[in-house]
Amino acid sequence: ETGVTQTPRHLVMGMTNKKSLKCEQHLGHNAMYWYKQSAKKPLELMFVYSLEERVENNSVPSRFSPECPNSSHLFLHLHTLQPEDSALYLCASSQGFTGEGYEQYFGPGTRLTVT
Amino acid sequence: AQTVTQSQPEMSVQEAETVTLSCTYDTSESDYYLFWYKQPPSRQMILVIRQEAYKQQNATENRFSVNFQKAAKSFSLKISDSQLGDAAMYFCAYLFVQGAQKLVFGQGTRLTINP
């Protein structure tokens, strides 16, 4: 248990559906991240939020829409996804961008299958 | 762009023995962090150990230690007294400390522990 939770753990959705992934951190961190982990590929950073402000959008298609209402919660809204978007989506948090708080702590992930 | 390479897709070791996982990285920066993460079958990404580039002393965490060779851009992980619970995917990761905190991951090494 790393202090970062993700729901749901598993999600199956059709290409026309709209769904959301939720991440919550209980560590008092100020930065949150979305990563995508596909088979046979390294983890890919998708989005970075610092103090609820998006500081990085790593060329992610617009069918993925992040939302960070406060420093403890992060959402990833999904719509009109493609089968190649099937992957493990990992959320992470860190204390911030200064000092010794560089370590990122990960949630258990959401296994997404797009049919 | 920074890259991280793990040249060993799979490794195996006898229980109680020692194993070393290799990692090399490419960067032109002088100030950065390096990490080893463990991802067991549960898919939870767990931080194992970290190394600050400005520190010459190799980091250690109980049975886990690193051999950090900054000039050679090498960052290997040594696991001593291997245990069955060490079986997992191990990812080497690089973090540049300026700007957005983008972790760059290697492809991973699958470690099997033989009883």
Side-chain angles (χ1 to χ4, degrees):
Chain A
E1 179 61 47
T2 63
V4 181
T5 59
Q6 289 186 244
T7 55
R9 294 294 306 275
H10 301 272
L11 178 63
V12 179
M13 59 184 290
M15 290 190 284
T16 59
N17 291 158
K18 289 184 180 181
K19 296 287 184 182
S20 295
L21 310 185
K22 178 183 177 182
C23 175
E24 183 173 2
Q25 58 94 2
H26 310 274
L27 301 169
H29 288 169
N30 293 315
M32 298 187 76
Y33 312 78
W34 279 117
Y35 288 87
K36 176 183 179 182
Q37 187 176 26
S38 306
K40 311 281 185 189
K41 293 177 68 175
L43 276 81
E44 302 171 71
L45 178 66
M46 300 175 72
F47 301 104
V48 180
Y49 275 83
S50 175
L51 297 172
E52 300 107 58
E53 179 181 342
R54 190 189 311 179
V55 296
E56 184 75 18
N57 178 347
N58 214 27
S59 303
V60 179
S62 59
R63 56 186 184 269
F64 295 91
S65 175
E67 178 189 2
C68 188
N70 54 63
S71 60
S72 298
H73 294 86
L74 184 65
F75 295 89
L76 188 63
H77 304 299
L78 316 171
H79 63 97
T80 58
L81 294 191
Q82 304 298 311
E84 60 264 28
D85 296 322
S86 298
L88 181 71
Y89 288 85
L90 292 166
C91 173
S93 70
S94 68
Q95 187 171 326
F97 291 178
T98 59
E100 294 296 306
Y102 293 112
E103 297 98 334
Q104 292 183 21
Y105 294 87
F106 285 80
T110 295
R111 171 66 67 187
L112 173 66
T113 303
V114 181
T115 60
Chain B
Q2 294 88 1
T3 59
V4 177
T5 302
Q6 293 178 247
S7 59
Q8 307 153 315
E10 296 183 355
M11 292 280 286
S12 64
V13 64
Q14 283 302 119
E15 191 176 4
E17 296 293 309
T18 296
V19 64
T20 298
L21 308 184
S22 301
C23 172
T24 58
Y25 58 95
D26 186 24
T27 184
S28 58
E29 306 297 335
S30 60
D31 192 12
Y32 52 87
Y33 285 75
L34 295 164
F35 302 90
W36 279 97
Y37 281 89
K38 166 186 176 182
Q39 189 178 39
S42 67
R43 309 300 285 179
Q44 178 83 56
M45 192 76 74
I46 301 166
L47 178 65
V48 175
I49 198 166
R50 80 168 196 180
Q51 175 79 44
E52 296 89 340
Y54 64 85
K55 289 186 179 178
Q56 292 186 332
Q57 186 173 6
N58 289 324
T60 62
E61 286 288 342
N62 301 312
R63 298 182 294 107
F64 298 87
S65 61
V66 299
N67 184 4
F68 174 49
Q69 301 290 325
K70 190 172 184 179
K73 297 179 183 176
S74 170
F75 183 61
S76 61
L77 174 70
K78 185 172 82 171
I79 306 174
S80 304
D81 186 26
S82 299
Q83 301 176 1
L84 295 177
D86 295 334
M89 282 289 289
Y90 284 81
F91 293 94
C92 177
Y94 165 99
L95 179 69
F96 177 48
V97 301
Q98 300 298 324
Q101 303 293 282
K102 300 173 66 171
L103 262 180
V104 178
F105 284 85
Q107 304 92 322
T109 296
R110 182 173 302 281
L111 178 64
T112 301
I113 312 296
N114 299 315

